[in-house]
Amino acid sequence: MILLIWTEIKKLFKNKLNLILLLLVLLVPLVVTFVSQLSEYHSSEVTGVEMNAFEYLKTYQKYQQQYRGEVTEEWVSNLEAQYHKLETSNHDLNDEQVIEMDVLRKSIDFGHYILDETWRKENNGYDHSWGYDENGNLIYLPQEARPGVEMDLITHSFEAENHIYVGDTTSWKQAIAAISSYGVVFAFYLIYLFSSMYNKENKDKMMSLIKTSKNGKRKLGIAKLLAGLLVAILLPLAIIGIVFVFYQCIFGFGNPNVSFAFQLFENSDVASTFTCGETFGIASLLLIIGSLTIAILSMFFSSMMKSSYRSLAISFVFFILPLALNTKIGTFAIKLLSPVEYLNSSFYSFSLVSSIGSYAFFNVHFILQTSIWILILVPFIYLFYKNMQITNEG
Amino acid sequence: MELNLNKLTKQYGSKLAVDRVTLTLQPGLTALLGANGSGKTTLLRMIVDIIKPTSGEIFYDGKNIMKLKEQYLCDIGYMPQHLGMYPNFKVEEFLYYMATLKGLKKSYAKIQIDKLLHKVNLEEKRHHKIKTLSGGMYQRLGIAVCLLNDPKIVILDEPTAGLDPKERMNFKNLISSISQDKIVILSTHIVSDISEIADRIMIMKDGSIISYDRPEVLLKEMEGKVYALTVPNDNVVNYEKYTIVNRKVGREETYLHLLSDEKIEGATLLTPDLNDLYLYHFKDGEEF
């Protein structure tokens, strides 16, 4: 059986086009995301400093590491003292000091958010900016209301956490954004790859040889399924691995126990109790679950259709049409079946990864909905393949 | 060793592809002759259990193949009419894959692959991709795949289609060499493929087996039905009511090789061959 599974995997990638597309799918989203991440920090109007994006991020990372620590009253006080010192001692800040103050400001901001329960309860529904009151004290200025969907998270926010750490989030942030950017492209590739999983033999006129061999009727059907599932797990793992190694080489990863929410505050986004490591894990698992779901559905269509073109077409219609319709059907079809959609490259999805992880991925209904599809479809895939008629071999 | 077909029938809608075929097959080469569309492929596909008969049964050594399932397939070697193999696989790699599908142990598969590559003269192509093989090599690889599991029943569906005469002769010798202790069914509409090597001939027409016996018996039945004569060119039209096997047109006269149930005056009786036998049964203008 192992040899059959291995051969099925080899068959998938024997085709040069499949291999070339795989390389593109593995590398292009990463490169595009990295370039767009750098371009975000390219302009001095955005960063406030005259540095290129790479230098800016490295400097930012340096200060995040410098002021890392567990969120305590003492830690916040130290940061505030440092902030005042910088503010008062130097009226003409250089670029590095501007970044240092920015990191300090956000760290203090986050510290207050964690430690000041009264403040948090009063201001939970709002984004904030930094400012001074009439006495010259640093305060948070409420701005606009947060979307209701995020309120639940914040309500159950940080009180349950005993230790919250702040530190270097640069690579975690970039890497999770990169994983998110794989969603749609990767989904397309999987649909393409698995659309011929069960009917390739028909195209190659191999079905007669297979169906007259001892293991061709039953075992091969199962081997194909297992090979498909294995590939659907290994490919996202490859993506995660490549992303991880890439950002490890470029920036290096900080402590995974650092709060993911800390970096989210940079964009006034949703709060989360997850650490960077956990959020990275959630993003990875969502990619794997989405990959498995798409693999199962594509293999199902492939076992139903004798032509890979037909199964490819119906897979695309199934996945893309609801998106194009942009209606409730789209929401249900894609978001409930394939969490890859959650990881698409849109700017808001990235910041929602953690919240989705908490209300969708770890939600029993969500897991049931995903796994029920798989459990229902697997026997049909096996039966359709077993009974697949030989039609084009004479 | 015996393979019994009992009232084997296959119907597609209103079309009766195979009609109550009953016969017993024993070791040796059985040639299945028939025109295109006569039901040969459908019959063979039922024998190798890739299509289910509408009615009737197949017994292998007295046991219904439906009950034997995979055990029956262990003894089957099948080379389909439209042979397909993965073009990007290398020859040896593909044979190992097929050996796995046939449930062979790796050590035994290695022995068989080495032996068969030698037998089909493809040793040098062992590491070549299948898409680089010529038509003859491709068919020979098909035979190797078919024989991997050392099957007791070998089914070859038009295996020589598209081969040049030399390859065809090689193929014929190869098939002859394997048919001693196996039930070999070779389907073809090319009579020369089976001449001299067939132990039995089965003639299929419109879904039915109309004749099944040893070649010499079938040819004996044809005696007195094959004629030759030379007639003036303007007289040929009078002989077109007979099946003309061959005609050689001269300046004034034409030589005719004819088949007829009735005696032809002035004609010489010829010793019938398999070509005469085939054309006698498919004389009604069926394509071949």
Side-chain angles (χ1 to χ4, degrees):
Chain A
M1 182 55 106
I2 291 168
L3 192 60
L4 281 178
I5 293 171
W6 173 235
T7 314
E8 286 307 313
I9 294 173
K10 271 206 299 187
K11 265 159 62 182
L12 279 178
F13 298 106
K14 276 259 174 194
N15 185 325
K16 274 186 190 159
L17 180 63
N18 288 7
L19 264 183
I20 292 166
L21 287 176
L22 175 63
L23 281 176
L24 290 175
V25 165
L26 289 178
L27 297 178
V28 169
L30 179 61
V31 172
V32 169
T33 309
F34 183 64
V35 169
S36 68
Q37 282 167 347
L38 289 186
S39 69
E40 271 180 43
Y41 298 100
H42 189 64
S43 160
S44 59
E45 287 174 16
V46 176
T47 61
V49 296
E50 293 294 332
M51 274 183 191
N52 68 41
F54 188 73
E55 284 172 344
Y56 174 84
L57 285 167
K58 290 295 275 186
T59 312
Y60 201 93
Q61 186 182 29
K62 185 180 90 182
Y63 286 112
Q64 279 191 327
Q65 282 167 344
Q66 187 175 322
Y67 294 115
R68 70 184 183 273
E70 183 177 353
V71 177
T72 59
E73 295 284 357
E74 188 190 356
W75 176 78
V76 174
S77 301
N78 284 341
L79 295 192
E80 282 182 329
Q82 184 65 25
Y83 184 87
H84 282 296
K85 191 177 157 192
L86 268 174
E87 192 181 42
T88 51
S89 68
N90 236 324
H91 293 289
D92 196 14
L93 298 173
N94 63 30
D95 283 350
E96 285 221 2
Q97 286 168 323
V98 168
I99 295 169
E100 186 179 0
M101 283 191 75
D102 193 30
V103 171
L104 279 168
R105 226 176 16 240
K106 282 168 182 163
S107 303
I108 295 163
D109 184 349
F110 185 69
H112 280 301
Y113 182 85
I114 302 301
L115 298 169
D116 190 346
E117 189 182 341
T118 314
W119 178 91
R120 193 166 60 240
K121 282 181 179 167
E122 284 174 359
N123 300 281
N124 254 350
Y126 300 89
D127 282 338
H128 305 275
S129 63
W130 187 263
Y132 293 93
D133 64 8
E134 59 273 17
N135 301 320
N137 299 319
L138 285 167
I139 59 162
Y140 302 99
L141 301 172
Q143 289 182 332
E144 55 183 284
R146 288 179 184 279
V149 70
E150 296 168 15
M151 290 299 292
D152 284 349
L153 262 177
I154 299 167
T155 309
H156 304 295
S157 64
F158 299 91
E159 285 159 0
E161 298 289 316
N162 293 322
H163 304 284
I164 293 171
Y165 297 92
V166 164
D168 170 21
T169 59
T170 309
S171 271
W172 294 112
K173 175 186 172 182
Q174 312 285 342
I176 291 164
I179 288 177
S180 309
S181 72
Y182 275 92
V184 173
V185 175
F186 184 50
F188 279 13
Y189 179 70
L190 289 174
I191 291 170
Y192 159 75
L193 190 67
F194 290 119
S195 63
S196 62
M197 189 74 181
Y198 277 90
N199 48 32
K200 182 175 167 35
E201 282 76 19
N202 248 346
K203 185 186 159 204
D204 290 332
K205 297 181 176 175
M206 269 288 296
M207 207 52 123
S208 293
L209 285 185
I210 286 172
K211 294 264 179 168
T212 51
S213 61
K214 184 188 168 193
N215 294 330
K217 280 197 176 174
R218 290 180 174 81
K219 271 195 182 172
L220 188 63
I222 297 166
K224 280 174 177 289
L225 187 66
L226 294 176
L229 295 179
L230 203 58
V231 169
I233 293 170
L234 290 176
L235 286 186
L237 284 178
I239 288 174
I240 293 156
I242 288 169
V243 167
F244 192 87
V245 169
F246 180 79
Y247 282 99
Q248 178 66 34
C249 294
I250 301 290
F251 295 113
F253 282 94
N255 184 351
N257 293 323
V258 165
S259 173
F260 181 67
F262 171 52
Q263 61 91 13
L264 285 173
F265 267 70
E266 291 169 21
N267 298 322
S268 300
D269 263 317
V270 65
S272 161
T273 56
F274 291 119
T275 64
C276 283
E278 286 167 345
T279 311
F280 187 82
I282 290 166
S284 304
L285 283 171
L286 282 171
L287 196 67
I288 293 169
I289 289 285
S291 171
L292 280 171
T293 314
I294 286 178
I296 283 283
L297 280 163
S298 292
M299 284 195 283
F300 173 70
F301 292 131
S302 153
S303 68
M304 278 177 75
M305 310 280 167
K306 290 186 187 79
S307 147
S308 56
Y309 298 113
R310 280 188 215 163
S311 54
L312 182 65
I314 197 163
S315 294
F316 271 113
V317 168
F318 189 84
F319 283 103
I320 308 305
L321 194 63
L323 267 184
L325 290 173
N326 196 24
T327 61
K328 280 185 178 177
I329 300 168
T331 310
F332 279 103
I334 295 294
K335 288 192 175 175
L336 293 181
L337 291 177
S338 165
V340 166
E341 165 62 13
Y342 294 131
L343 292 172
N344 72 23
S345 55
S346 64
F347 68 93
Y348 65 90
S349 290
F350 155 61
S351 59
L352 285 176
V353 167
S354 62
S355 54
I356 288 157
S358 56
Y359 77 75
F361 184 71
F362 295 118
N363 179 304
V364 174
H365 294 292
F366 178 84
I367 292 169
L368 279 177
Q369 279 162 344
T370 309
S371 54
I372 280 173
W373 269 102
I374 292 174
L375 291 174
I376 289 174
L377 293 182
V378 163
F380 281 103
I381 293 172
Y382 176 71
L383 282 174
F384 284 144
Y385 173 72
K386 190 168 157 273
N387 298 319
M388 192 178 267
Q389 295 295 310
I390 301 158
T391 52
N392 64 345
E393 295 181 25
Chain B
M1 185 168 54
E2 255 186 14
L3 194 65
N4 300 95
L5 314 185
N6 182 27
K7 294 180 185 167
L8 209 58
T9 302
K10 183 69 186 179
Q11 189 151 6
Y12 294 108
S14 59
K15 183 176 171 17
L16 199 56
V18 174
D19 186 13
R20 288 167 295 169
V21 169
T22 299
L23 52 92
T24 299
L25 295 157
Q26 286 171 331
L29 175 62
T30 301
L32 175 56
L33 280 178
N36 288 335
S38 59
K40 301 190 299 291
T41 296
T42 306
L43 177 66
L44 296 183
R45 284 181 176 186
M46 283 193 285
I47 293 174
V48 296
D49 193 29
I50 50 177
I51 55 174
K52 302 286 174 214
T54 309
S55 63
E57 293 148 319
I58 301 170
F59 295 94
Y60 176 46
D61 281 343
K63 290 173 190 159
N64 193 320
I65 65 161
M66 294 298 156
K67 288 179 183 161
L68 289 171
K69 293 181 180 171
E70 274 87 3
Q71 198 187 330
Y72 173 66
L73 292 179
C74 288
D75 283 349
I76 287 281
Y78 178 49
M79 184 172 171
Q81 183 181 4
H82 298 276
L83 178 64
M85 293 182 270
Y86 299 124
N88 288 320
F89 272 60
K90 289 176 182 163
V91 168
E92 187 184 53
E93 184 185 21
F94 183 72
L95 286 169
Y96 271 110
Y97 173 65
M98 287 310 300
T100 312
L101 276 182
K102 285 170 181 258
L104 307 188
K105 285 186 180 165
K106 201 170 179 184
S107 54
Y108 179 64
K110 187 184 180 318
I111 294 167
Q112 280 294 91
I113 288 168
D114 289 344
K115 189 176 91 180
L116 288 166
L117 282 177
H118 175 72
K119 190 165 195 151
V120 299
N121 200 18
L122 281 177
E123 278 167 313
E124 287 178 7
K125 299 288 175 182
R126 181 187 283 261
H127 301 297
H128 289 227
K129 285 197 171 181
I130 290 176
K131 64 183 173 191
T132 65
L133 301 182
S134 68
M137 291 173 185
Y138 195 85
Q139 293 296 93
R140 277 187 269 147
L141 178 59
I143 269 281
V145 169
C146 176
L147 299 176
L148 259 180
N149 51 329
D150 193 18
K152 291 176 180 159
I153 302 167
V154 177
I155 311 290
L156 307 164
D157 193 359
E158 309 222 6
T160 57
L163 296 186
D164 62 38
K166 191 184 169 199
E167 286 283 8
R168 185 167 264 138
M169 189 189 70
N170 291 339
F171 213 86
K172 194 170 154 181
N173 292 335
L174 180 64
I175 291 164
S176 178
S177 71
I178 61 164
S179 61
Q180 304 309 311
D181 55 350
K182 301 176 193 299
I183 297 174
V184 180
I185 307 175
L186 190 155
S187 154
T188 186
H189 56 250
I190 302 164
V191 174
S192 61
D193 283 353
I194 50 128
S195 60
E196 296 162 15
I197 62 165
D199 296 302
R200 287 179 194 79
I201 292 176
M202 186 160 47
I203 298 173
M204 192 163 189
K205 190 174 182 182
D206 298 331
S208 300
I209 300 295
I210 55 171
S211 217
Y212 175 47
D213 217 320
R214 285 179 287 119
E216 56 269 27
V217 175
L218 295 177
L219 290 177
K220 196 165 179 61
E221 288 172 7
M222 284 292 295
E223 282 177 8
K225 293 174 180 171
V226 187
Y227 295 91
L229 82 164
T230 304
V231 294
N233 286 347
D234 54 2
N235 201 19
V236 170
V237 70
N238 295 327
Y239 293 89
E240 284 184 344
K241 60 184 176 183
Y242 305 113
T243 304
I244 301 175
V245 177
N246 190 16
R247 75 171 84 192
K248 188 178 177 187
V249 183
R251 194 169 287 172
E252 291 176 356
E253 290 181 321
T254 299
Y255 168 81
L256 295 172
H257 176 166
L258 304 166
L259 300 178
S260 169
D261 286 322
E262 60 194 53
K263 190 173 184 320
I264 302 174
E265 288 302 326
T268 312
L269 269 173
L270 294 179
T271 307
D273 61 18
L274 289 178
N275 212 33
D276 298 321
L277 174 72
Y278 183 87
L279 290 172
Y280 177 78
H281 287 290
F282 298 98
K283 61 190 171 189
D284 302 328
E286 290 178 1
E287 55 175 316
F288 55 87

